[in-house]
Amino acid sequence: MARSTRSADAARADRGDQADIQAVSRVSQILALFEPATPEVTAGQVAERLGLNRTTAYRYCTSLVAAGLLERSPSGGYIPGGLLLQLGAFAVSHRRVMNLAPRHMQALSRATQSSAVLSLWGFTGPVVSRVEENIAAVVVVSVRVGSHLPLDAAQSKVFLAYHVDQLSMQRLTATLAGPARDELRADVERVRTVGHCSAMSTPGVVVVAAPVFDEYGICATVAVIGPDNTLSMSDDAPELRVVVDAARQLTHELGGHYRPDDLGQQAV
């Protein structure tokens, strides 16, 4: 009897393993549907292309949204989720912005005598995806690649200002306490007005950030980080102009417009 029970348990375990493997396979098949020509899918399209019934396809899609692997689009379909960027911070070198950014970041680091930082949007905030340090500086302030930046970071405020999914951005800021939420929303509104953000990340450390756009909208932020005795938070600071110029140049190469309300201006 004991042997029979063990055999039944083993069989159930095998079936469970097979079900898990099948679920992982289904997830990979769903994610593989996305490509440049297919930036968005519906549950019906998932069902049709993978041979699933609509209920099963919808269940998979909603589970992937809950996991952060997919997001709901304004039109009601599904698009790749921010968690894919967060988990793949080291594996996104094929992205155009990652391919184009290095030379701009190197020039930016040299010109400002500071560390240059490129960030992409993750699940709930920017993820540091590339850093160019200025090793010639007396004091080197840097940040680790893969770091998830808080909502009050300069880069976060820039993303919050221009992210295509403003409903999700409002939900993120709503998680903060009243005064902190109101202050952040006021800062984000100012970013929309001036097109960039300068903020103190920690005492004595300043971050100056600007948005980078491709044809779909904001795709990254470029920033410099350094001591407050070398970087200024002033709107007429020369290092701010260098950061904005780098963002404009990247945006131009990516086929985007620097800001939605700035269509007439070209990268220098």
Side-chain angles (χ1 to χ4, degrees), residues 108 111-112 190 194-199 207-211 222-224 230-248 258:
L108 183 58
T112 61
R190 183 176 188 278
V194 300
H196 53 76
C197 183
S198 299
V207 178
V208 180
V222 62
V224 291
T230 61
L231 284 182
S232 171
M233 293 174 58
S234 171
D235 283 344
D236 59 0
E239 53 267 26
L240 171 60
R241 174 48 51 192
V242 177
V243 173
V244 170
D245 285 348
R248 286 184 183 278
Y258 178 63

Side-chain angles (χ1 to χ4, degrees), residues 129-198:
S129 302
R130 186 178 179 90
V131 177
E132 289 289 343
E133 296 178 349
N134 177 36
I135 58 175
V138 176
V139 177
V140 177
V141 180
S142 189
V143 60
R144 180 175 56 84
V145 170
S147 297
H148 193 288
L149 301 177
L151 281 180
D152 60 355
Q155 296 95 320
S156 299
K157 294 173 184 177
V158 172
F159 269 112
L160 289 170
Y162 293 112
H163 198 287
V164 65
D165 187 356
Q166 282 297 305
L167 179 59
S168 293
M169 299 304 100
Q170 292 173 13
R171 289 171 179 164
L172 281 177
T173 58
T175 62
L176 300 176
R181 179 186 64 242
D182 295 342
E183 182 179 354
L184 177 59
R185 288 179 173 173
D187 288 344
V188 169
E189 191 59 38
R190 183 176 188 278
V191 172
R192 292 195 186 101
T193 300
V194 300
H196 53 76
C197 183
S198 299

